[in-house]
């Protein structure tokens, strides 16, 4: 006879498992789905009826003027920003305020920010092994083997024993990418990962991202690097005032944008980078 479960304390409830969405026929390849997403900051309407589907292995570049909602959109995908209405589903998990759902999604979706957010008192290797050991319960030996694999992949394996302050900005951002990869995510989100870098360091980070894209990683990148968008994106999405204004494959997006606001934005960006 099985032992009786310990009684719950008054007012205590077992944690709820995250809700799962059954795959829709013919859409099993959809990894991320946003439906009618709305987001406010006080009275400011940051996201307006955003609808987006991202297929497994797809590379998407989000562009648009400052304040258009690009960073907010990707921060909502892993609940760094909660939404006010609508629905977000990531790899079958319905993203709600349920901590189990949030944890599930954050384990599966890596994110790289403008700032590197590395722990300054920890070595590069320790920065990369912390989350897999703490969150996934991976042994130190396995975590270190994985970390060294990804540090090598971003071409910085020889810096594993150094501290962040001993690295250049480009090297620190590559460590941040390796750290996210150490969680073996199903998708990567990039929030203007080169905007805090000196111009000579931008290429080394973009080269790393190109390599990831070529390896089949699902990626959503907020960036103004239009050369990167032309090279790796399957789709380029233009946002303004919290809305998706236009989206298309890169060649058509850059050759013949349909919306006047897209044309004006591209004219400004391309002139700036000329």
């Amino acid at each position: 006879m099985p032992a009786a479960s310990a009684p719950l304390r008054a007012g205590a409830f077992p944690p709820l498992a995250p809700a799962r969405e059954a795959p829709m026929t013919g859409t099993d390849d959809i990894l991320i789905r946003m439906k009618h997403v709305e987001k406010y900051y006080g009275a400011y309407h940051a996201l307006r009826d955003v609808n987006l589907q991202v297929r497994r292995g797809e590379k998407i570049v989000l562009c648009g003027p400052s304040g258009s909602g690009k960073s907010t959109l990707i921060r909502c995908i892993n609940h760094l920003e909660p939404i006010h209405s609508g629905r977000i589903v990531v790899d079958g998990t319905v993203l709600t305020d349920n901590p189990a759902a949030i944890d599930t999604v954050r384990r599966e979706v890596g994110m790289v920010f403008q700032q590197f957010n590395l722990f300054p008192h920890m070595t590069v290797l320790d920065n990369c092994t912390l989350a897999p050991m703490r969150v996934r319960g991976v042994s130190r030996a396995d975590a270190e083997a994985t970390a060294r694999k990804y540090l090598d992949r971003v071409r910085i394996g020889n810096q594993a024993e150094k501290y962040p302050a001993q690295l250049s900005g480009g090297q620190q951002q590559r460590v941040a990418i390796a750290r996210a990869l150490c969680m073996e995510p199903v998708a990567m989100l990039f929030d203007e990962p080169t905007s805090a870098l000196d111009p000579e360091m931008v290429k080394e980070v973009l080269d790393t991202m190109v390599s990831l894209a070529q390896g089949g990683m699902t990626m959503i990148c907020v960036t103004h690097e239009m050369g990167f968008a032309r090279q790796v994106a399957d789709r380029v999405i233009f946002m303004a005032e919290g809305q998706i204004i236009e989206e298309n494959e890169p060649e058509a997006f850059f050759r013949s944008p349909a919306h006047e606001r897209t044309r004006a934005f591209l004219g400004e960006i391309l002139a700036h980078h000329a």
Side-chain angles (χ1 to χ4, degrees), residues 5-69:
S5 301
L8 291 171
R9 299 189 311 274
F13 296 93
L16 294 174
R20 299 284 297 177
E21 182 176 85
M24 297 170 62
T25 304
T27 62
D28 292 2
D29 65 332
I30 301 299
L31 182 63
I32 298 169
R33 183 180 289 109
M34 305 180 78
K35 297 180 181 178
H36 305 300
V37 170
E38 304 275 347
K39 169 69 181 176
Y40 291 84
Y41 294 105
Y44 178 66
H45 203 169
L47 293 179
R48 304 168 183 261
D49 193 30
V50 168
N51 294 277
L52 176 65
Q53 291 187 345
V54 182
R55 291 179 173 81
R56 295 181 190 277
E58 191 173 19
K59 273 67 72 176
I60 290 177
V61 165
L62 293 177
C63 62
S66 178
S68 60

Side-chain angles (χ1 to χ4, degrees), residues 30 79 86 97 102 126 139 150-151 154 159-160 170 191 205-206 245:
I30 301 299
H79 206 76
D97 290 332
I102 297 169
D126 287 341
S139 70
Y150 286 118
L151 287 169
V154 302
Q159 309 291 335
D191 188 4
V205 173
L206 290 179
I245 302 296

Side-chain angles (χ1 to χ4, degrees), residues 26-152:
T27 62
D28 292 2
D29 65 332
I30 301 299
L31 182 63
I32 298 169
R33 183 180 289 109
M34 305 180 78
K35 297 180 181 178
H36 305 300
V37 170
E38 304 275 347
K39 169 69 181 176
Y40 291 84
Y41 294 105
Y44 178 66
H45 203 169
L47 293 179
R48 304 168 183 261
D49 193 30
V50 168
N51 294 277
L52 176 65
Q53 291 187 345
V54 182
R55 291 179 173 81
R56 295 181 190 277
E58 191 173 19
K59 273 67 72 176
I60 290 177
V61 165
L62 293 177
C63 62
S66 178
S68 60
K70 311 179 299 296
S71 294
T72 300
L73 186 154
I74 64 170
R75 289 171 68 88
C76 287
I77 291 173
N78 63 359
H79 206 76
L80 287 175
E81 298 288 353
I83 63 175
H84 287 86
S85 63
R87 183 177 177 87
I88 299 176
V89 183
V90 180
D91 200 16
T93 297
V94 181
L95 189 55
T96 65
D97 290 332
N98 176 4
I102 297 169
D103 288 346
T104 297
V105 168
R106 288 181 181 170
R107 282 197 299 269
E108 302 302 328
V109 178
M111 188 158 186
V112 178
F113 302 88
Q114 296 177 38
Q115 302 299 328
F116 322 124
N117 297 330
L118 301 175
F119 292 110
H121 64 290
M122 299 173 67
T123 66
V124 165
L125 187 62
D126 287 341
N127 265 280
C128 291
T129 57
L130 181 64
M133 291 169 60
R134 291 268 185 92
V135 177
R136 290 197 182 277
V138 175
S139 70
R140 176 173 291 279
D142 287 346
E144 288 192 0
T146 300
R148 291 188 186 278
K149 176 180 75 172
Y150 286 118
L151 287 169
D152 285 341

Side-chain angles (χ1 to χ4, degrees), residues 136-186:
R136 290 197 182 277
V138 175
S139 70
R140 176 173 291 279
D142 287 346
E144 288 192 0
T146 300
R148 291 188 186 278
K149 176 180 75 172
Y150 286 118
L151 287 169
D152 285 341
R153 183 170 178 181
V154 302
R155 303 189 307 281
I156 204 169
N158 60 342
Q159 309 291 335
E161 308 305 329
K162 290 187 177 180
Y163 290 86
Q166 296 174 285
L167 306 180
S168 70
Q171 289 174 324
Q172 290 187 59
Q173 191 61 293
R174 282 188 280 158
V175 172
I177 293 171
R179 178 181 59 180
L181 291 173
C182 285
M183 288 292 285
E184 306 280 7
V186 297

Side-chain angles (χ1 to χ4, degrees), residues 63-64 224-226 254 264-274:
C63 62
H224 288 162
E225 300 290 343
M226 295 297 100
F254 289 108
F265 172 79
L266 288 176
E268 226 175 87
I269 286 291
L270 298 176
H272 178 72
H273 285 81

